[in-house]
Amino acid sequence: MPVSFMTDVVMALVALVAAGGCSKSSGAAAAAQAPAAEPRVIESGKIDPAWLSYDAATKTLNFHLIAGLTGLNGALNFNGFRDGGLTLTVPRGWTVAIQFMNHDGMLPHSAEVIPATKPVPTGPVPPAFDGAFTVTLAQGLPPLGEDGMRFIADRVGSFLIFCGVPGHGAAGMWVRLKVSGTARAPFLTATPAGKS
C-alpha cells in the first residue's frame, strides 16, 4: 500500500481515539470511512534563495533556471512559476550568468531572453541580448540536459525568459527579467497568482 494511504489511516485512527475512543470492532470501519487527506505536492510559488547569487565587486550574478521544477502547468514552468509569476531584477550593466537545467522528466525545454511582448511568441525569436539563449532553442534540451547563457544587461527594460520549444512559451512557460537603472543588487520576487 502507498505510504500516504497508511499515514491517512493512522491519522484517522488517532483522530477517532482523541474524539472519544473506539472499540476494537468499530475502529477499522471508522478509519476506512474517514475522508482521505489531499495528496501533498511540492509547492509552486516559493522562491529558493539558492537560485540566485552574486558578486557586487565584479557586478556578476548567477541564476539557476530550472525547467519543469514542479508539476505546475504540466511541468511547463521555470522554477515552479508560470506566466511571469517570478521576476529576476538585475541592475543595468551587470553580467548575467544563467545556468539552465531541464528537470522535466518527459519534455525537452530551452530558454532565451526576449523583449517583453504580448502575446508571447509561439517559438524562438531573436534574443534581446547577445548570448542570451541556450542551444537548440526550437528542439530544446532533453530531460536532465544542461546549458548556460551569459550576457551583459546593458539596457533598462522589461524582458521575458521563455522556453523556445514551439508552444511551450505560449502555454505559460516564461518568467520575467527586469533590468533596472536604480537597483543596487539583483533580487527575485514572486507575483501572486492572477497579478502577473
Side-chain angles (χ1 to χ4, degrees):
M1 276 190 230
V3 173
S4 62
F5 175 76
M6 292 303 297
T7 303
D8 291 341
V9 170
V10 170
M11 291 177 66
L13 284 171
V14 169
L16 187 61
V17 170
C22 63
S23 70
K24 289 182 182 178
S25 62
S26 65
Q33 294 173 356
E38 290 294 320
R40 295 178 60 89
V41 295
I42 296 171
E43 281 190 66
S44 294
K46 300 289 183 191
I47 294 174
D48 183 343
W51 294 340
L52 179 65
S53 61
Y54 63 89
D55 182 342
T58 62
K59 295 185 176 180
T60 301
L61 72 89
N62 293 294
F63 177 57
H64 293 277
L65 182 68
I66 307 163
L69 179 62
T70 68
L72 176 72
N73 195 32
L76 296 179
N77 65 75
F78 284 124
N79 297 49
F81 293 85
R82 63 172 285 182
D83 291 311
L86 179 69
T87 301
L88 169 61
T89 299
V90 177
R92 185 184 62 205
W94 280 50
T95 298
V96 178
I98 297 178
Q99 304 304 315
F100 173 84
M101 194 261 231
N102 183 5
H103 187 268
D104 186 336
M106 297 181 63
L107 297 174
H109 297 294
S110 64
E112 74 169 316
V113 178
I114 63 170
T117 180
K118 290 280 186 166
V120 174
T122 58
V125 297
F129 301 96
D130 288 341
F133 58 93
T134 59
V135 296
T136 61
L137 276 172
Q139 296 82 9
L141 284 100
L144 302 180
E146 297 184 20
D147 193 26
M149 63 176 92
R150 188 176 181 93
F151 61 93
I152 297 173
D154 57 5
R155 65 185 184 282
V156 172
S158 296
F159 305 90
L160 308 180
I161 303 173
F162 103 120
C163 181
V165 174
H168 290 194
M173 194 169 185
W174 58 277
V175 293
R176 298 177 193 277
L177 171 70
K178 178 182 175 187
V179 180
S180 169
T182 58
R184 306 184 120 216
F187 58 92
L188 290 167
T189 52
T191 305
K195 303 288 184 185
S196 58

